[in-house]
Coordinates of all heavy atoms in Angstrom, one line a residue:
M29 N 0.8 -1.1 0.0 CA 0.0 0.0 0.0 C 0.9 1.4 0.0 O 1.9 1.4 0.7 CB -0.9 0.0 1.2 CG -1.6 1.2 1.5 SD -2.7 1.3 3.0 CE -1.9 0.3 4.2
R30 N 0.4 2.3 -0.9 CA 1.1 3.5 -0.8 C 0.8 4.5 0.2 O -0.3 4.7 0.4 CB 1.0 4.0 -2.3 CG 1.7 5.4 -2.4 CD 1.5 5.9 -3.8 NE 1.8 7.4 -3.9 CZ 2.4 8.0 -4.9 NH1 2.8 7.3 -6.0 NH2 2.8 9.2 -4.8
I31 N 1.8 5.2 0.7 CA 1.5 6.2 1.7 C 2.3 7.4 1.4 O 3.5 7.4 1.2 CB 1.8 5.8 3.1 CG1 1.0 4.5 3.6 CG2 1.6 7.0 4.1 CD1 1.3 4.0 4.9
N32 N 1.6 8.5 1.1 CA 2.3 9.8 0.8 C 2.8 10.4 2.0 O 2.3 10.4 3.0 CB 1.3 10.7 0.0 CG 1.0 10.3 -1.2 OD1 1.6 9.6 -2.0 ND2 -0.2 10.5 -1.6
L33 N 4.1 11.0 1.9 CA 4.7 11.6 3.0 C 4.7 13.1 2.8 O 4.8 13.6 1.8 CB 6.2 11.2 3.1 CG 6.4 9.6 3.3 CD1 7.9 9.4 3.2 CD2 5.7 9.1 4.5
V34 N 4.7 13.9 3.9 CA 4.7 15.4 3.9 C 6.2 15.6 4.4 O 6.4 15.8 5.7 CB 3.7 15.9 4.8 CG1 3.8 17.5 4.8 CG2 2.4 15.7 4.3
T35 N 7.2 15.8 3.5 CA 8.5 15.8 3.8 C 9.1 17.2 3.5 O 9.0 17.5 2.3 CB 9.3 14.8 3.1 OG1 8.6 13.5 3.3 CG2 10.8 14.8 3.6
P36 N 9.5 18.0 4.5 CA 10.2 19.2 4.1 C 11.4 19.0 3.3 O 12.1 17.9 3.4 CB 10.6 19.9 5.5 CG 9.8 19.1 6.5 CD 9.5 17.8 5.8
F37 N 11.9 20.0 2.5 CA 13.0 19.9 1.6 C 14.2 19.5 2.4 O 15.1 18.7 1.9 CB 13.1 21.1 0.8 CG 14.4 21.0 -0.3 CD1 14.2 20.3 -1.4 CD2 15.6 21.6 0.1 CE1 15.2 20.2 -2.3 CE2 16.6 21.5 -0.7 CZ 16.4 20.8 -2.0
A38 N 14.3 20.0 3.5 CA 15.6 19.9 4.3 C 15.8 18.5 4.8 O 16.8 18.0 5.1 CB 15.6 20.8 5.5
E39 N 14.6 17.6 4.8 CA 14.6 16.3 5.4 C 14.5 15.3 4.3 O 14.2 14.1 4.4 CB 13.4 16.1 6.4 CG 13.7 17.1 7.5 CD 12.5 16.9 8.5 OE1 11.8 16.0 8.4 OE2 12.4 17.7 9.4
K40 N 14.5 15.7 2.9 CA 14.4 14.8 1.9 C 15.5 13.6 1.9 O 15.1 12.5 1.5 CB 14.3 15.5 0.5 CG 15.7 16.1 0.2 CD 15.5 16.6 -1.2 CE 16.8 17.3 -1.6 NZ 18.0 16.3 -1.8
D41 N 16.6 14.0 2.2 CA 17.7 13.0 2.1 C 17.5 12.0 3.3 O 17.8 10.7 3.0 CB 19.1 13.6 2.3 CG 19.4 14.5 1.1 OD1 19.1 14.1 0.0 OD2 20.1 15.5 1.3
A42 N 17.0 12.3 4.4 CA 16.7 11.3 5.5 C 15.5 10.5 5.1 O 15.6 9.3 5.3 CB 16.3 12.2 6.8
A43 N 14.5 10.9 4.4 CA 13.4 10.2 4.0 C 13.9 9.2 2.8 O 13.5 8.0 2.9 CB 12.4 11.0 3.4
K44 N 14.7 9.6 2.0 CA 15.3 8.8 0.9 C 16.2 7.7 1.5 O 16.1 6.6 1.0 CB 16.1 9.7 -0.1 CG 16.6 8.9 -1.3 CD 17.4 9.9 -2.3 CE 18.0 9.1 -3.4 NZ 18.6 10.0 -4.4
A45 N 17.0 8.0 2.5 CA 17.8 7.1 3.2 C 17.1 5.9 3.7 O 17.5 4.8 3.9 CB 18.7 7.7 4.2
L46 N 15.8 6.2 4.2 CA 15.0 5.2 4.8 C 14.2 4.4 3.8 O 13.4 3.5 4.1 CB 13.9 5.9 5.9 CG 14.6 6.6 7.1 CD1 13.6 7.4 7.9 CD2 15.2 5.4 7.9
G47 N 14.3 4.8 2.5 CA 13.6 4.0 1.5 C 12.4 4.8 0.8 O 11.8 4.1 0.0
A48 N 12.2 6.0 1.2 CA 11.1 6.6 0.5 C 11.5 7.0 -0.9 O 12.7 7.0 -1.4 CB 10.9 8.1 1.2
R49 N 10.5 7.1 -1.7 CA 10.6 7.3 -3.2 C 10.0 8.7 -3.6 O 9.1 9.1 -3.0 CB 10.1 6.1 -4.0 CG 10.6 4.9 -3.8 CD 9.8 3.8 -4.6 NE 10.2 2.5 -4.2 CZ 9.5 1.4 -4.4 NH1 8.5 1.6 -5.3 NH2 9.9 0.3 -4.0
W50 N 10.5 9.3 -4.6 CA 10.0 10.6 -5.0 C 9.0 10.4 -6.2 O 9.3 9.7 -7.3 CB 11.1 11.6 -5.5 CG 10.6 12.8 -6.2 CD1 10.8 13.2 -7.4 CD2 10.1 13.9 -5.4 NE1 10.2 14.5 -7.6 CE2 9.9 14.9 -6.4 CE3 9.8 14.2 -4.0 CZ2 9.2 16.2 -6.0 CZ3 9.2 15.4 -3.8 CH2 9.0 16.4 -4.7
D51 N 7.8 11.0 -6.1 CA 6.8 10.9 -7.2 C 6.8 12.4 -7.9 O 6.3 13.4 -7.4 CB 5.4 10.8 -6.7 CG 4.3 10.5 -7.7 OD1 4.5 11.0 -8.8 OD2 3.2 10.0 -7.3
A52 N 7.4 12.5 -8.9 CA 7.6 13.8 -9.8 C 6.2 14.3 -10.2 O 6.0 15.5 -10.2 CB 8.6 13.5 -11.0
T53 N 5.3 13.4 -10.5 CA 4.0 13.9 -11.0 C 3.3 14.6 -9.7 O 2.8 15.8 -10.0 CB 3.1 12.8 -11.5 OG1 3.9 12.1 -12.5 CG2 1.8 13.3 -12.0
K54 N 3.2 14.1 -8.6 CA 2.5 14.6 -7.4 C 3.4 15.5 -6.5 O 2.9 16.1 -5.6 CB 2.0 13.4 -6.6 CG 0.9 12.7 -7.3 CD 0.1 11.7 -6.5 CE -0.9 10.9 -7.1 NZ -1.7 10.0 -6.2
K55 N 4.7 15.5 -6.9 CA 5.7 16.3 -6.3 C 5.5 15.9 -4.7 O 5.5 16.9 -3.8 CB 5.5 17.7 -6.4 CG 5.7 18.1 -8.0 CD 5.8 19.5 -8.1 CE 5.8 19.9 -9.6 NZ 6.8 19.5 -10.5
C56 N 5.7 14.6 -4.3 CA 5.8 14.3 -3.0 C 6.6 13.1 -2.9 O 6.8 12.3 -3.8 CB 4.4 14.1 -2.4 SG 3.5 12.6 -3.1
W57 N 7.0 12.7 -1.7 CA 7.8 11.6 -1.3 C 6.8 10.5 -0.9 O 5.7 10.9 -0.2 CB 8.8 11.7 -0.2 CG 10.0 12.5 -0.6 CD1 10.2 13.9 -0.7 CD2 11.1 11.9 -1.3 NE1 11.3 14.3 -1.2 CE2 12.0 13.0 -1.5 CE3 11.6 10.8 -1.6 CZ2 13.2 12.9 -2.2 CZ3 12.8 10.5 -2.2 CH2 13.6 11.7 -2.6
Y58 N 6.9 9.2 -1.1 CA 6.0 8.2 -0.7 C 6.7 6.9 -0.3 O 7.9 6.7 -0.6 CB 5.1 8.0 -1.8 CG 5.5 7.3 -3.1 CD1 5.5 6.0 -3.3 CD2 6.2 8.1 -4.0 CE1 6.0 5.3 -4.4 CE2 6.7 7.5 -5.1 CZ 6.6 6.1 -5.3 OH 7.2 5.6 -6.5
I59 N 6.0 6.0 0.4 CA 6.6 4.7 0.7 C 5.5 3.7 0.3 O 4.3 4.0 0.2 CB 6.8 4.6 2.1 CG1 5.7 5.0 2.9 CG2 8.1 5.4 2.6 CD1 5.8 4.7 4.5
V60 N 5.9 2.5 -0.1 CA 5.1 1.5 -0.5 C 5.5 0.1 0.2 O 6.6 -0.2 0.4 CB 5.4 1.1 -2.1 CG1 4.5 0.0 -2.5 CG2 5.1 2.4 -3.0
D61 N 4.4 -0.5 0.8 CA 4.5 -1.7 1.5 C 5.6 -1.8 2.5 O 6.5 -2.6 2.6 CB 4.7 -2.9 0.6 CG 3.4 -3.0 -0.5 OD1 2.3 -2.6 -0.1 OD2 3.7 -3.4 -1.6
V62 N 5.6 -0.8 3.4 CA 6.6 -0.8 4.5 C 6.0 -1.5 5.8 O 4.8 -1.1 6.2 CB 7.0 0.6 4.8 CG1 7.9 0.8 6.0 CG2 7.6 1.4 3.7
D63 N 6.6 -2.4 6.3 CA 6.1 -3.2 7.5 C 6.1 -2.2 8.7 O 5.2 -2.2 9.4 CB 7.1 -4.4 7.7 CG 6.9 -5.4 6.6 OD1 5.8 -5.4 5.9 OD2 7.9 -6.1 6.3
D64 N 7.3 -1.5 8.9 CA 7.4 -0.8 10.2 C 7.3 0.9 9.8 O 8.2 1.3 9.2 CB 8.6 -0.9 10.9 CG 8.8 -0.2 12.2 OD1 7.8 0.3 12.8 OD2 9.8 -0.1 12.7
L65 N 6.2 1.4 10.1 CA 6.0 3.0 9.8 C 6.6 3.9 10.9 O 6.7 5.1 10.6 CB 4.5 3.2 9.7 CG 3.7 2.6 8.6 CD1 2.3 3.0 8.7 CD2 4.4 2.9 7.2
T66 N 7.2 3.3 11.9 CA 7.8 4.1 12.9 C 8.8 5.1 12.4 O 8.7 6.3 12.8 CB 8.4 3.3 14.0 OG1 7.5 2.3 14.5 CG2 8.9 4.1 15.1
P67 N 9.7 4.9 11.6 CA 10.8 5.9 11.1 C 10.1 7.0 10.3 O 10.5 8.1 10.1 CB 11.7 5.1 10.3 CG 11.4 3.6 10.6 CD 10.1 3.5 11.1
F68 N 8.9 6.7 9.7 CA 8.2 7.7 8.8 C 7.1 8.5 9.5 O 6.6 9.4 8.8 CB 7.7 7.0 7.6 CG 8.7 6.2 6.8 CD1 8.9 4.9 6.9 CD2 9.4 6.8 5.9 CE1 9.8 4.1 6.2 CE2 10.4 6.2 5.0 CZ 10.6 4.9 5.2
M69 N 6.8 8.2 10.8 CA 5.7 8.8 11.4 C 5.7 10.3 11.5 O 4.7 11.0 11.5 CB 5.4 8.3 12.8 CG 5.0 6.8 12.7 SD 3.5 6.5 11.8 CE 2.3 7.5 12.6
R70 N 7.0 10.9 11.5 CA 7.1 12.4 11.6 C 6.7 13.0 10.3 O 6.4 14.2 10.1 CB 8.4 12.8 12.0 CG 9.5 12.5 10.9 CD 10.9 12.8 11.5 NE 12.0 12.4 10.6 CZ 13.3 12.7 10.6 NH1 13.6 13.4 11.7 NH2 14.1 12.2 9.9
W71 N 6.6 12.2 9.1 CA 6.2 12.9 7.8 C 4.8 12.3 7.5 O 4.3 12.5 6.4 CB 7.1 12.3 6.8 CG 8.5 12.7 7.0 CD1 9.0 14.1 7.3 CD2 9.8 12.0 7.1 NE1 10.3 14.0 7.5 CE2 10.7 12.9 7.4 CE3 10.0 10.7 7.0 CZ2 12.2 12.4 7.4 CZ3 11.3 10.2 6.9 CH2 12.4 11.1 7.2
I72 N 4.0 11.7 8.4 CA 2.8 11.3 8.2 C 1.8 11.9 9.2 O 1.5 11.3 10.2 CB 2.5 9.7 8.3 CG1 3.6 9.0 7.4 CG2 1.2 9.3 7.9 CD1 3.7 7.5 7.5
P73 N 1.3 13.2 8.9 CA 0.6 13.9 9.9 C -0.9 13.2 10.1 O -1.4 13.3 11.1 CB 0.3 15.3 9.2 CG 0.7 15.1 7.8 CD 1.6 13.9 7.7
N74 N -1.4 12.7 9.0 CA -2.8 12.0 9.1 C -2.6 10.7 8.3 O -2.6 10.7 7.0 CB -3.9 12.8 8.5 CG -5.2 12.2 8.7 OD1 -5.3 11.1 9.0 ND2 -6.1 13.2 8.4
L75 N -2.6 9.6 8.9 CA -2.3 8.3 8.1 C -3.4 7.9 7.2 O -3.2 7.6 6.1 CB -2.3 7.2 9.2 CG -1.8 5.9 8.7 CD1 -0.4 5.9 7.9 CD2 -1.7 4.8 9.8
D76 N -4.7 8.2 7.6 CA -5.8 7.9 6.7 C -5.8 8.8 5.4 O -6.0 8.4 4.3 CB -7.1 8.1 7.4 CG -7.3 7.1 8.5 OD1 -6.8 5.9 8.3 OD2 -8.0 7.4 9.4
A77 N -5.4 10.1 5.5 CA -5.5 11.0 4.4 C -4.1 10.8 3.5 O -4.2 11.1 2.4 CB -5.4 12.4 4.9
A78 N -3.1 10.2 4.2 CA -2.0 10.0 3.4 C -2.0 8.8 2.4 O -1.1 8.7 1.5 CB -0.7 9.9 4.4
K79 N -2.7 7.9 2.8 CA -2.9 6.7 2.0 C -3.3 7.0 0.6 O -4.4 7.7 0.4 CB -3.8 5.6 2.6 CG -3.2 5.1 4.0 CD -4.2 4.2 4.6 CE -3.6 3.6 5.9 NZ -4.6 2.7 6.6
D80 N -2.7 6.5 -0.4 CA -3.0 6.7 -1.7 C -3.8 5.5 -2.2 O -3.2 4.5 -2.6 CB -1.9 7.0 -2.6 CG -2.3 7.4 -4.1 OD1 -3.5 7.7 -4.4 OD2 -1.4 7.5 -4.8
T81 N -5.2 5.6 -2.3 CA -6.0 4.4 -2.8 C -6.2 4.2 -4.1 O -6.5 3.1 -4.7 CB -7.4 4.5 -2.1 OG1 -8.0 5.6 -2.7 CG2 -7.3 4.4 -0.5
G82 N -5.7 5.2 -4.9 CA -5.9 5.2 -6.4 C -7.2 5.6 -6.9 O -7.4 5.6 -8.0
A83 N -8.2 5.7 -5.9 CA -9.6 6.2 -6.3 C -9.6 7.5 -6.4 O -10.2 8.2 -5.5 CB -10.5 5.6 -5.4
A84 N -9.1 8.2 -7.4 CA -9.1 9.6 -7.5 C -10.5 10.2 -8.1 O -10.8 11.3 -7.9 CB -7.9 10.2 -8.4
A85 N -11.2 9.3 -8.7 CA -12.4 9.7 -9.3 C -13.5 9.8 -8.3 O -13.6 9.1 -7.3 CB -12.9 8.7 -10.3
P86 N -14.4 10.9 -8.4 CA -15.5 11.0 -7.4 C -16.5 9.7 -7.5 O -16.5 8.9 -8.4 CB -16.2 12.2 -7.9 CG -15.5 12.8 -9.1 CD -14.4 11.8 -9.4
A87 N -17.2 9.6 -6.4 CA -18.1 8.4 -6.3 C -19.2 8.4 -7.3 O -19.7 7.4 -7.8 CB -18.7 8.4 -4.9
S88 N -19.8 9.6 -7.7 CA -20.9 9.6 -8.6 C -20.6 10.6 -9.8 O -19.9 11.5 -9.7 CB -22.1 10.2 -8.0 OG -22.0 11.4 -7.6
P89 N -21.2 10.3 -11.0 CA -20.9 11.1 -12.2 C -21.4 12.6 -11.9 O -20.9 13.5 -12.4 CB -21.6 10.5 -13.4 CG -22.1 9.3 -12.8 CD -22.0 9.1 -11.3
K90 N -22.5 12.9 -11.2 CA -23.0 14.1 -11.0 C -22.1 15.0 -10.1 O -21.9 16.1 -10.4 CB -24.3 14.1 -10.2 CG -25.4 13.4 -11.0 CD -26.8 13.5 -10.2 CE -27.8 12.9 -11.0 NZ -29.2 13.0 -10.3
A91 N -21.3 14.4 -9.2 CA -20.4 15.1 -8.5 C -19.2 15.5 -9.2 O -18.7 16.5 -9.1 CB -19.8 14.1 -7.4
S92 N -18.8 14.7 -10.3 CA -17.7 15.1 -11.1 C -18.1 16.3 -12.1 O -17.4 17.2 -12.3 CB -17.2 13.9 -11.9 OG -18.2 13.5 -12.8
A93 N -19.4 16.3 -12.4 CA -19.9 17.3 -13.3 C -19.9 18.7 -12.6 O -19.6 19.7 -13.1 CB -21.3 16.9 -13.9
K94 N -20.4 18.6 -11.3 CA -20.4 19.8 -10.4 C -19.1 20.2 -10.2 O -18.8 21.6 -10.1 CB -21.2 19.5 -9.2 CG -22.6 19.3 -9.4 CD -23.4 18.9 -8.1 CE -24.8 18.8 -8.2 NZ -25.5 18.4 -7.0
A95 N -18.1 19.4 -10.0 CA -16.7 19.8 -9.6 C -16.0 20.4 -10.9 O -15.1 21.3 -10.7 CB -15.9 18.6 -9.1
A96 N -16.4 20.0 -12.1 CA -15.8 20.6 -13.2 C -16.3 22.0 -13.6 O -15.5 22.6 -14.3 CB -16.1 19.7 -14.4
V97 N -17.4 22.4 -13.2 CA -17.8 23.7 -13.5 C -17.3 24.7 -12.4 O -17.5 24.7 -11.3 CB -19.4 23.9 -13.3 CG1 -19.8 25.2 -13.6 CG2 -20.0 22.8 -14.3
V98 N -16.5 25.6 -12.9 CA -15.9 26.7 -12.2 C -16.3 28.1 -12.6 O -16.1 28.3 -13.8 CB -14.4 26.6 -12.1 CG1 -13.8 27.7 -11.2 CG2 -13.9 25.1 -11.7
K99 N -16.9 28.8 -11.8 CA -17.5 30.1 -12.2 C -16.5 31.1 -11.8 O -16.1 31.1 -10.6 CB -18.8 30.4 -11.6 CG -19.9 29.5 -12.1 CD -21.2 29.7 -11.4 CE -22.3 28.9 -11.8 NZ -23.7 29.2 -11.2
T100 N -16.1 32.0 -12.8 CA -15.1 33.0 -12.4 C -15.8 34.3 -12.9 O -16.4 34.4 -13.9 CB -13.8 32.8 -13.1 OG1 -13.9 32.7 -14.5 CG2 -13.1 31.4 -12.6
K101 N -15.3 35.4 -12.3 CA -15.8 36.7 -12.7 C -14.9 37.3 -13.6 O -13.6 37.0 -13.6 CB -15.8 37.5 -11.4 CG -16.8 37.2 -10.5 CD -16.9 38.1 -9.3 CE -18.0 37.7 -8.3 NZ -18.1 38.7 -7.0
P102 N -15.3 38.2 -14.5 CA -14.4 38.6 -15.4 C -13.5 39.7 -14.7 O -13.7 40.2 -13.7 CB -15.3 39.4 -16.5 CG -16.5 39.7 -15.7 CD -16.7 38.6 -14.7
P103 N -12.3 39.8 -15.3 CA -11.3 40.7 -14.6 C -11.8 42.2 -14.7 O -12.4 42.6 -15.6 CB -10.0 40.6 -15.4 CG -10.4 40.0 -16.7 CD -11.7 39.3 -16.4
V104 N -11.6 42.9 -13.4 CA -12.0 44.2 -13.3 C -10.8 45.1 -13.7 O -9.7 44.9 -13.2 CB -12.5 44.5 -11.9 CG1 -12.9 46.0 -11.7 CG2 -13.6 43.6 -11.6
A105 N -11.1 46.1 -14.5 CA -10.0 47.0 -14.8 C -9.9 48.1 -13.7 O -10.9 48.6 -13.3 CB -10.2 47.7 -16.2
S106 N -8.6 48.3 -13.3 CA -8.5 49.3 -12.2 C -7.6 50.5 -12.6 O -6.8 50.3 -13.5 CB -8.0 48.7 -10.9 OG -6.6 48.2 -11.1
K107 N -7.9 51.6 -12.0 CA -7.2 52.8 -12.3 C -6.4 53.3 -11.0 O -7.0 52.9 -9.9 CB -8.0 54.0 -12.8 CG -8.7 53.6 -14.2 CD -9.4 54.9 -14.6 CE -10.1 54.6 -15.9 NZ -11.0 55.7 -16.3
P108 N -5.3 53.8 -11.1 CA -4.7 54.4 -9.9 C -5.6 55.4 -9.2 O -6.3 56.1 -9.8 CB -3.4 55.1 -10.3 CG -3.3 54.9 -11.9 CD -4.5 54.1 -12.3
A109 N -5.5 55.5 -7.9 CA -6.4 56.3 -7.1 C -6.0 57.8 -7.5 O -7.1 58.5 -7.7 CB -6.2 56.0 -5.7
V110 N -4.9 58.1 -7.5 CA -4.5 59.5 -7.9 C -3.3 59.4 -8.9 O -2.4 58.7 -8.8 CB -3.9 60.3 -6.7 CG1 -3.5 61.7 -7.0 CG2 -5.0 60.2 -5.6
E111 N -3.6 60.0 -10.0 CA -2.5 60.2 -11.1 C -1.7 61.4 -10.9 O -2.3 62.4 -10.9 CB -3.2 60.2 -12.5 CG -3.9 58.8 -12.8 CD -4.4 58.7 -14.3 OE1 -3.9 59.5 -15.1 OE2 -5.3 58.0 -14.5
M112 N -0.4 61.2 -10.7 CA 0.5 62.3 -10.6 C 1.3 62.5 -11.8 O 2.0 61.5 -12.2 CB 1.4 62.1 -9.3 CG 0.7 62.0 -7.9 SD 0.0 63.5 -7.4 CE 1.4 64.5 -7.1
P113 N 1.3 63.6 -12.3 CA 2.3 63.8 -13.5 C 3.7 63.7 -13.1 O 4.1 64.2 -12.0 CB 1.9 65.1 -14.0 CG 1.3 65.9 -12.8 CD 0.7 64.8 -12.0
H114 N 4.4 63.0 -14.0 CA 5.9 62.9 -13.6 C 6.6 64.2 -14.2 O 6.5 64.7 -15.3 CB 6.5 61.7 -14.3 CG 7.8 61.4 -13.9 ND1 9.0 62.0 -14.5 CD2 8.3 60.6 -13.0 CE1 10.0 61.5 -13.8 NE2 9.6 60.6 -12.9
C115 N 7.4 64.7 -13.2 CA 8.1 66.1 -13.5 C 9.5 65.8 -14.1 O 10.0 66.7 -14.7 CB 8.3 66.9 -12.3 SG 9.4 66.0 -11.0
G116 N 10.0 64.6 -14.1 CA 11.1 64.3 -14.8 C 12.4 64.3 -13.8 O 13.5 64.1 -14.1
C117 N 12.1 64.5 -12.5 CA 13.3 64.4 -11.5 C 13.8 63.1 -11.3 O 12.9 62.2 -11.2 CB 12.8 65.1 -10.2 SG 12.5 66.8 -10.2
P118 N 15.1 62.9 -11.1 CA 15.6 61.6 -10.8 C 15.6 61.1 -9.5 O 16.5 61.0 -8.7 CB 17.0 61.7 -11.3 CG 17.4 63.1 -11.0 CD 16.2 63.8 -11.2
V119 N 14.2 60.8 -8.9 CA 14.0 60.4 -7.6 C 13.2 59.1 -7.6 O 12.5 58.8 -8.7 CB 13.2 61.5 -6.8 CG1 13.9 62.7 -6.6 CG2 11.8 61.8 -7.4
L120 N 13.3 58.4 -6.6 CA 12.5 57.0 -6.5 C 11.1 57.4 -6.2 O 10.8 58.5 -5.7 CB 13.1 56.2 -5.3 CG 14.6 55.8 -5.5 CD1 15.0 55.2 -4.4 CD2 14.6 54.9 -6.7
P121 N 10.1 56.5 -6.6 CA 8.6 56.8 -6.4 C 8.2 57.2 -5.1 O 7.3 58.0 -4.8 CB 8.1 55.5 -6.9 CG 9.0 54.7 -7.6 CD 10.4 55.2 -7.2
W122 N 8.9 56.7 -4.0 CA 8.5 57.1 -2.6 C 9.2 58.3 -2.1 O 8.8 58.8 -1.0 CB 8.7 55.8 -1.7 CG 10.1 55.3 -1.7 CD1 11.2 55.9 -1.0 CD2 10.7 54.2 -2.5 NE1 12.2 55.2 -1.2 CE2 12.1 54.2 -2.2 CE3 10.1 53.5 -3.5 CZ2 12.8 53.3 -2.8 CZ3 11.0 52.5 -4.1 CH2 12.3 52.5 -3.8
E123 N 10.1 58.9 -2.9 CA 10.7 60.1 -2.5 C 10.0 61.3 -3.0 O 9.4 61.3 -4.0 CB 12.1 60.1 -2.9 CG 13.0 58.8 -2.3 CD 14.5 58.9 -2.8 OE1 14.7 59.4 -3.8 OE2 15.3 58.3 -2.1
D124 N 10.2 62.5 -2.3 CA 9.7 63.7 -2.8 C 10.8 64.4 -3.6 O 12.0 64.4 -3.3 CB 9.2 64.7 -1.7 CG 8.0 64.2 -0.9 OD1 7.2 63.5 -1.6 OD2 7.9 64.3 0.3
C125 N 10.4 65.1 -4.7 CA 11.4 65.9 -5.4 C 11.1 67.4 -5.1 O 10.3 67.7 -4.4 CB 11.1 65.6 -7.0 SG 9.6 66.3 -7.7
E126 N 12.0 68.2 -5.7 CA 11.9 69.6 -5.4 C 10.6 70.2 -5.9 O 10.0 71.2 -5.3 CB 13.0 70.4 -6.0 CG 13.2 70.2 -7.6 CD 14.5 70.8 -8.0 OE1 15.4 70.3 -7.6 OE2 14.4 71.7 -8.9
H127 N 10.0 69.5 -7.0 CA 8.8 70.0 -7.5 C 7.5 69.8 -6.7 O 6.7 70.5 -6.6 CB 8.6 69.7 -8.9 CG 9.7 70.0 -9.8 ND1 10.7 69.3 -10.3 CD2 9.9 71.3 -10.5 CE1 11.4 69.9 -11.0 NE2 11.1 71.1 -11.2
S128 N 7.6 68.6 -6.1 CA 6.3 68.2 -5.3 C 6.4 68.9 -4.0 O 5.4 69.1 -3.5 CB 6.4 66.6 -5.0 OG 7.6 66.2 -4.3
L129 N 7.6 69.3 -3.5 CA 7.6 70.1 -2.3 C 7.2 71.5 -2.5 O 6.4 72.1 -1.7 CB 8.9 70.2 -1.7 CG 9.5 68.8 -1.2 CD1 10.9 69.0 -0.7 CD2 8.7 68.3 -0.1
A130 N 7.2 72.0 -3.7 CA 6.9 73.4 -4.1 C 5.4 73.4 -4.2 O 4.7 74.4 -4.0 CB 7.5 73.9 -5.4
K131 N 4.7 72.3 -4.5 CA 3.3 72.3 -4.7 C 2.6 72.2 -3.4 O 1.3 72.4 -3.4 CB 2.8 71.0 -5.5 CG 3.3 71.1 -7.0 CD 2.8 69.9 -7.7 CE 3.4 69.9 -9.1 NZ 3.1 68.7 -9.9
R132 N 3.2 71.9 -2.3 CA 2.5 71.7 -1.0 C 2.2 73.0 -0.4 O 2.4 74.0 -0.3 CB 3.3 70.9 -0.1 CG 3.3 69.4 -0.5 CD 4.1 68.6 0.5 NE 4.2 67.2 0.0 CZ 4.9 66.4 0.6 NH1 5.5 66.7 1.9 NH2 5.0 65.2 0.2

C-alpha cells in the first residue's frame, strides 16, 4: 500500500535514506508496502489522508460534473487612485522631489 509523506525539503535525504521514493507527478515523497511505519511517522501527519488508494475519481458522475464547473468573474480594470504627472526629477517613487515640495 502506498502512503504519501509530507517531507520538508531539508529532510528529503533522510526520507530517501529510509527508503522513500519521489513521485515527480504529485511532487511528494511516498513509501510502498513498509512493514514498520515508525521511522516515517514524523512525515505522516494523518495516516488515513496520506494513503493513496488510487480512487481519485468521485463516487458519482453528478459530483464530477459539479466539480468541473468553475465560475469566475471577468477581470476588473482598475485605475490608480491619484494620477500624479511625472516632472522628470531623478527620484525614487516614494521620495519627494523639489517640484512636489513646491506644490504643497
